[in-house]
Amino acid sequence: MRLLDVQAVLDREKNIQQAEPETEVLKDGDDETTGYAILSHRWEAEVSYQEMIKLLKMTERKRDEVRQRDGYQKIIKSCELAMRDGYSWLWVDTCCIDKRNSAELSEAINSMYRWYENSQVCYAYLGDVEEPSLPSQRDNSGFSKSKGWPEWFVRGWTLQELVAPKQLEFFNRNWMYIGNKRRLAPTLEKITRIPANILGQGLASERLSIAQIMSWAAHRQTTRVEDRAYSLMGLFGVSMPMLYGEGEKAFQRLQLEIMQVSNDQSIFAWDPYGRTPRYGNVLADDPSYFQDCHDIQIVDSDQFIDKLTDYVRSHELKDHGTESAWRQVAHPQQMSWFVATNAGIQICLPIIPYRDYPSVFKAILACSDNDGNLISVDLVSRGSTYDRSFNATEILKTYPRVERLYLTYSPDADETPCHLTLDDRGASCHGFTRRSTFPREIIGDTVTLSTRTNDLMVVVYVNDETKSRFAIALGFHSGQGWVHVACDGCLATEEGRWLDFDVKVYDVMWNARAQHALRTVSNEPDNYSRSRCDSFIKHAHIPQSNWAARVVWGRWDAGNLKVTVDVEQCPGCCVGPLERTTIFNNRDGLGVLGLMKTGHKSHELKLDSSLVQLDECSGQKIVLGDYGDFSDGNFKRRGNIFEDMPVLGIDPTDTANRLTTVSRVSGDEDILRCMRHRNGLVVTFHEGNHHLALYQPTGLSLANNQQLMLLLKALSERLADKYLVTTVIHCSEFYVVDSQGELRDTEASPLKTYNCTTESDSLTPLCAIASPRIWRRESVRAQRREQFRSIREHFFDFCEKSLYCILHGVASTSGAVLSYLHKKTRRGDLEDELFHLQYSKTLFSLLTTW
């Protein structure tokens, strides 16, 4: 190690103008035989190794700038303290390491715990403490940037600098003595949660679990993410090379290194209460996952079987066998070791299956809390390996079975993040805007759900004008994706209300995630009927409105990762549970708004690299935007959306260009290579032997934008259940070829006559026809119809009784309404009241008849 010569540093500073430029202030030393002091501090404007040795060779201006830095003043003050205490040598991390030398830096980081441990005294400088004492209570105003405590206590590297030194003395901002760590141990324990006896006597004084030591670092921060791992190596007595740039993998490597020197199973006990659930890798991502592990203790292998027996009895577990037979299977030796292999972490653990999830197990670890209760974690089987999981369902009442497992530990193993595209333009058409997301922000329109991060995302939508709101929940649970819609009756009148709403929905959805995932699985079509084009719809009535929030999504496992959020007039089908409905949706082709159920299709072409399914126009004159009826492969035109725009008050010349897109067309290259004359030709894909060869084709499609969404919604009532031409292919000539590129049909001229557009030299042989989801009528549920019928009958019965009371003056127990009617009749308003009563019956009948 390189040490500062205390006397040389102070002499040079005292005689800075006359000191020799070659004055040597840093010399090599040995931490085992040299008595030295050491400094612990928070980095500010520091002095590097190069600046320290070349101070006298700088220009006067540069030298004065270095000497005025806080970092330089800390070096001088520490040298003065060391001199006062009788030490000739001082180590300071800022200037005693040449950080340009990666080998020297790696050696220093791996040795740092030992250097602090072997020092005679460590000076801890607290630069943000004004008083000559440590705060006894959290002070969020005085230490707002460091969680209410002095910043020294929340930094990653200072943890080992607190634990390792035998003698540690604290100084405040003005270098006033505060006390040593033995005297301040009760206060330090309160701040750091490190037991006072550990602070006073060191790590060797007590057998500590890995999880407990990790918990001390849970809330500490480092500038570089890798240092969260590197700063803990000395606490666990391990070494490993520095690889800055590896990110969270550094903490994974640290845990694997620890496993080579310890068989403590508490390393798997992170997040024992499901505070920050994360699926997949059985090793934690960072120390924060151990925040609730401060009281976890190691259970020796010979005690584990006894505690496991107590666990079985307390949970009333049983099986066909006897307890003695079960105890013979559970050998302490086989459960006392584990090793990382290329197949996973090999370990023997007692496991119990969950009742509703036979592939998910509760695994019991050889560690316990302060009350002696064994710690358990949830594991889900992934074929040959097991991933970390979280479940809230009930375990089976059966004895644990001890099995050899392979636990997933590679950060990239089976990592399948799901990147969903959120299309909520339909919601904005009704004034609903995306207001908040929880627990993290969404970048653009992409929602990422991963087995290694949060598996639940909540998105809140608010209509400021009507003060209405709803939320959608997108989640993964045990590898199963699920979607849900949540509403409440509270008005979003204040900003804080909807901020609380997303957290509230998250908590409710998190507790119900297993049920939602299980319901999704149970509602899946069987393998025979399921299709990659299946889409699912879920909706909920928005309280205090006549709207329904609707979410449509496809099969995530088939790559259909689009989630559409829409708001539409409630069709009266949202009474009862929020059931999920399944529909068939053709998602092949260009991106179109919402769901499109395509009609008959026989050809395929690539439009800008997207494979689009098309059909022959069958001798009709087809124009983009045409709508009409479609059955048995025949399309009957009824109009065109662009022609209808003036009726809606929209100028077609102003918006038509924004509602269409032109695409480059490509097709079957294999057939094209067989043809002699192929310049300008494109050949369609066809399952049979009837390919179309198109000369100079261009594709014209409806645009996937907000303007078209508004137009389709505006036409939805008039054009219910109609089909729409979404794509047309223009060309100057076409003919039919077989799979070898040979001409099959030369009678293409009649088709030219039928397919001429307004441009005499352009033909339209192919088009795509689809049924927009927003144009489809919803069938009213029988449940809602029956409920309305019952309400109507009760209301009519009430009206008949009221009429009888009005005409005969009979007293009634019908309450305030009939009292009001009696008063009216006494004032001579009988005719008006009879008219109002009949009008109410008629109106109510209209409102409740579907």
Side-chain angles (χ1 to χ4, degrees), residues 261-394:
V261 298
S262 173
N263 63 352
D264 178 6
Q265 294 183 6
S266 73
I267 197 171
F268 307 116
W270 50 270
D271 195 15
Y273 308 116
R275 185 191 295 267
T276 54
R278 195 266 287 150
Y279 294 77
N281 186 0
V282 297
L283 299 181
D285 291 339
D286 59 63
S288 66
Y289 284 82
F290 290 91
Q291 60 180 314
D292 294 324
C293 299
H294 60 279
D295 63 346
I296 290 184
Q297 304 171 356
I298 299 174
V299 175
D300 291 329
S301 57
D302 55 347
Q303 299 175 341
F304 182 47
I305 299 301
D306 294 333
K307 284 187 173 293
L308 195 56
T309 302
D310 294 338
Y311 182 94
V312 169
R313 291 171 180 169
S314 63
H315 288 77
E316 299 180 349
L317 305 181
K318 55 187 177 181
D319 204 345
H320 298 296
T322 63
E323 179 180 319
S324 59
W326 170 78
R327 288 177 64 94
Q328 290 178 2
V329 177
H331 296 292
Q333 292 77 15
Q334 69 175 356
M335 290 189 289
S336 62
W337 64 272
F338 51 89
V339 62
T341 71
N342 57 2
I345 298 174
Q346 182 181 338
I347 188 172
C348 285
L349 289 175
I351 58 175
I352 308 172
Y354 275 94
R355 184 178 301 279
D356 296 328
Y357 294 90
S359 63
V360 182
F361 302 86
K362 180 181 288 294
I364 305 171
L365 303 176
C367 54
S368 65
D369 58 21
N370 263 342
D371 297 325
N373 300 312
L374 290 176
I375 302 296
S376 62
V377 296
D378 291 338
L379 300 175
V380 58
S381 174
R382 300 293 188 197
S384 60
T385 61
Y386 286 77
D387 289 358
R388 184 72 185 268
S389 180
F390 292 83
N391 287 279
T393 54
E394 185 181 357

Side-chain angles (χ1 to χ4, degrees), residues 120-148:
Q120 264 54 54
V121 62
C122 176
Y123 305 127
Y125 176 69
L126 310 184
D128 53 354
V129 176
E130 300 287 348
E131 302 297 324
S133 61
L134 292 179
S136 58
Q137 300 292 334
R138 191 184 298 271
D139 182 1
N140 291 318
S141 60
F143 305 102
S144 59
K145 297 181 180 179
S146 51
K147 303 175 184 178

Side-chain angles (χ1 to χ4, degrees), residues 338-533:
F338 51 89
V339 62
T341 71
N342 57 2
I345 298 174
Q346 182 181 338
I347 188 172
C348 285
L349 289 175
I351 58 175
I352 308 172
Y354 275 94
R355 184 178 301 279
D356 296 328
Y357 294 90
S359 63
V360 182
F361 302 86
K362 180 181 288 294
I364 305 171
L365 303 176
C367 54
S368 65
D369 58 21
N370 263 342
D371 297 325
N373 300 312
L374 290 176
I375 302 296
S376 62
V377 296
D378 291 338
L379 300 175
V380 58
S381 174
R382 300 293 188 197
S384 60
T385 61
Y386 286 77
D387 289 358
R388 184 72 185 268
S389 180
F390 292 83
N391 287 279
T393 54
E394 185 181 357
I395 60 173
L396 291 175
K397 296 295 184 179
T398 180
Y399 283 156
R401 66 175 190 263
V402 179
E403 289 198 5
R404 177 177 296 176
L405 312 176
Y406 287 90
L407 310 181
T408 302
Y409 72 87
S410 172
D412 301 320
D414 299 325
E415 171 58 13
T416 54
C418 181
H419 303 290
L420 303 176
T421 299
L422 190 62
D423 185 354
D424 50 16
R425 292 170 295 179
S428 64
C429 293
H430 292 278
F432 283 84
T433 58
R434 192 190 306 168
R435 185 57 57 86
S436 69
T437 61
F438 188 83
R440 59 190 183 274
E441 295 293 326
I442 291 178
I443 300 176
D445 294 321
T446 300
V447 180
T448 301
L449 300 175
S450 172
T451 59
R452 295 187 61 243
T453 59
N454 292 311
D455 69 331
L456 173 61
M457 175 66 75
V458 171
V459 185
V460 174
Y461 295 87
V462 174
N463 185 314
D464 290 319
E465 183 177 350
T466 62
K467 307 301 180 185
S468 302
R469 66 186 179 184
F470 68 92
I472 63 168
L474 309 168
F476 257 100
H477 179 76
S478 296
Q480 176 64 50
W482 58 272
V483 177
H484 198 71
V485 188
C487 300
D488 72 349
C490 299
L491 295 178
T493 54
E494 298 177 2
E495 182 173 328
R497 297 289 296 275
W498 58 257
L499 282 175
D500 294 337
F501 181 52
D502 56 14
V503 179
K504 174 184 175 183
V505 172
Y506 184 90
D507 291 340
V508 173
M509 292 297 103
W510 182 257
N511 292 330
R513 66 196 186 282
Q515 290 85 343
H516 289 311
L518 187 63
R519 193 176 295 121
T520 299
V521 174
S522 62
N523 290 338
E524 284 278 359
D526 56 38
N527 290 332
Y528 179 78
S529 61
R530 70 192 300 181
S531 167
R532 66 190 298 266
C533 296

Side-chain angles (χ1 to χ4, degrees), residues 421-694:
T421 299
L422 190 62
D423 185 354
D424 50 16
R425 292 170 295 179
S428 64
C429 293
H430 292 278
F432 283 84
T433 58
R434 192 190 306 168
R435 185 57 57 86
S436 69
T437 61
F438 188 83
R440 59 190 183 274
E441 295 293 326
I442 291 178
I443 300 176
D445 294 321
T446 300
V447 180
T448 301
L449 300 175
S450 172
T451 59
R452 295 187 61 243
T453 59
N454 292 311
D455 69 331
L456 173 61
M457 175 66 75
V458 171
V459 185
V460 174
Y461 295 87
V462 174
N463 185 314
D464 290 319
E465 183 177 350
T466 62
K467 307 301 180 185
S468 302
R469 66 186 179 184
F470 68 92
I472 63 168
L474 309 168
F476 257 100
H477 179 76
S478 296
Q480 176 64 50
W482 58 272
V483 177
H484 198 71
V485 188
C487 300
D488 72 349
C490 299
L491 295 178
T493 54
E494 298 177 2
E495 182 173 328
R497 297 289 296 275
W498 58 257
L499 282 175
D500 294 337
F501 181 52
D502 56 14
V503 179
K504 174 184 175 183
V505 172
Y506 184 90
D507 291 340
V508 173
M509 292 297 103
W510 182 257
N511 292 330
R513 66 196 186 282
Q515 290 85 343
H516 289 311
L518 187 63
R519 193 176 295 121
T520 299
V521 174
S522 62
N523 290 338
E524 284 278 359
D526 56 38
N527 290 332
Y528 179 78
S529 61
R530 70 192 300 181
S531 167
R532 66 190 298 266
C533 296
D534 284 339
S535 290
F536 312 104
I537 302 176
K538 210 165 195 179
H539 80 274
H541 181 79
I542 301 175
Q544 304 175 14
S545 75
N546 63 341
W547 289 332
R550 179 185 298 272
V551 181
V552 182
W553 72 99
R555 295 191 59 84
W556 295 353
D557 57 350
N560 189 357
L561 302 177
K562 184 175 182 180
V563 178
T564 303
V565 182
D566 200 358
V567 174
E568 58 182 30
Q569 210 166 22
C570 184
C573 58
C574 53
V575 170
L578 296 175
E579 297 178 1
R580 188 191 73 168
T581 57
T582 303
I583 62 170
F584 183 83
N585 180 64
N586 297 101
R587 69 180 188 87
D588 292 331
L590 297 176
V592 290
L593 290 167
L595 296 176
M596 290 283 182
K597 180 181 179 182
T598 61
H600 183 264
K601 46 195 177 294
S602 55
H603 296 270
E604 290 182 335
L605 285 172
K606 289 183 179 180
L607 303 189
D608 292 339
S609 75
S610 295
L611 194 63
V612 180
Q613 297 177 337
L614 303 156
D615 194 24
E616 296 181 21
C617 293
S618 304
Q620 297 186 67
K621 178 182 178 181
I622 297 293
V623 179
L624 184 69
D626 281 352
Y627 60 80
D629 301 316
F630 185 87
S631 63
D632 299 327
N634 296 314
F635 177 73
K636 188 173 184 179
R637 183 183 185 275
R638 300 295 184 185
N640 187 279
I641 60 173
F642 300 114
E643 296 173 0
D644 292 352
M645 291 170 68
V647 179
L648 301 174
I650 304 173
D651 184 0
T653 60
D654 182 47
T655 59
N657 290 336
R658 288 177 290 175
L659 299 181
T660 60
T661 58
V662 180
S663 303
R664 185 178 62 85
V665 182
S666 60
D668 194 326
E669 297 293 334
D670 293 336
I671 296 180
L672 191 62
R673 278 192 289 268
C674 299
M675 302 175 68
R676 293 182 180 179
H677 306 289
R678 52 178 179 265
N679 289 338
L681 282 180
V682 173
V683 180
T684 64
F685 296 96
H686 191 274
E687 291 184 359
N689 205 26
H690 185 85
H691 304 268
L692 290 186
L694 313 174

